[in-house]
Amino acid sequence: MNISHIEHIGIAVENLDESIKYYEEVLGMKCYAIEEVVDQKVKTAFFLVGNTKIELLESTSPEGPIGKFIEKKGQGIHHIAFAVDNATEALKLAEERGVKLVDKVSRKGAEGLNIGFLHPKSTQGVLTELCSKEE
Ligand code: ZN
């Protein structure tokens, strides 16, 4: 499936403003975008570290996936996202290789990327996202 790099690491946070402060004031990074992804019920903040982004995720609803995650596990690393050439093709390939999918076809995520998730039951417990600029 030709993974080129880690596109981003998704981190679930309780309070986006407080977390942005930590990343900016303690770690010295710069938040370059804040975006709400309505269908995922999250507000996201992005930082660039080399080729890789840190994506902070604050839930906008306790019913959303991040809301549920925080209720169960608390704040912390939520998922890892790999950059691929074509997310839908990569999802198909993963399924052919026996992976259970969260998304059968890619959908639009933050920053206009095409994204899809592999089920953590099939990925040794790591919620894995595949994303691509092109489809
Ligand atoms: Zn992500």
Side-chain angles (χ1 to χ4, degrees), residues 8 10 55 79 81 117 129:
H8 63 268
E55 176 187 42
H79 65 272
F117 283 93
E129 177 181 348

Side-chain angles (χ1 to χ4, degrees), residues 62-125:
E63 304 305 310
I66 296 300
K68 286 182 188 159
F69 176 87
I70 285 186
E71 196 190 303
K72 238 164 76 186
K73 298 188 173 167
Q75 303 192 97
I77 292 181
H78 177 258
H79 65 272
I80 185 163
F82 295 116
V84 295
D85 297 338
N86 180 314
T88 291
E89 274 174 23
L91 288 168
K92 214 180 289 168
L93 193 60
E95 190 173 39
E96 281 167 19
R97 292 173 178 173
V99 173
K100 197 175 160 212
L101 302 181
V102 176
D103 302 295
K104 288 261 179 196
V105 290
S106 74
R107 54 192 161 83
K108 284 287 171 195
E111 300 199 300
L113 290 176
N114 305 295
I115 66 150
F117 283 93
L118 310 183
H119 198 286
K121 277 194 177 134
S122 297
T123 58
Q124 282 78 53

Side-chain angles (χ1 to χ4, degrees), residues 18-104:
E18 262 176 40
S19 294
I20 288 171
K21 238 185 192 173
Y22 164 75
Y23 282 85
E24 291 196 328
E25 290 174 14
V26 178
L27 299 184
M29 298 178 187
K30 182 89 193 89
C31 174
Y32 71 87
I34 291 176
E35 185 184 343
E36 188 168 346
V37 183
V38 175
D39 73 327
Q40 284 298 294
K41 300 185 169 68
V42 288
K43 223 165 98 183
T44 64
F46 284 97
F47 301 81
L48 194 58
V49 188
N51 248 350
T52 301
K53 295 160 193 162
I54 298 290
E55 176 187 42
L56 302 181
L57 302 147
E58 181 197 74
S59 187
T60 54
S61 155
E63 304 305 310
I66 296 300
K68 286 182 188 159
F69 176 87
I70 285 186
E71 196 190 303
K72 238 164 76 186
K73 298 188 173 167
Q75 303 192 97
I77 292 181
H78 177 258
H79 65 272
I80 185 163
F82 295 116
V84 295
D85 297 338
N86 180 314
T88 291
E89 274 174 23
L91 288 168
K92 214 180 289 168
L93 193 60
E95 190 173 39
E96 281 167 19
R97 292 173 178 173
V99 173
K100 197 175 160 212
L101 302 181
V102 176
D103 302 295
K104 288 261 179 196

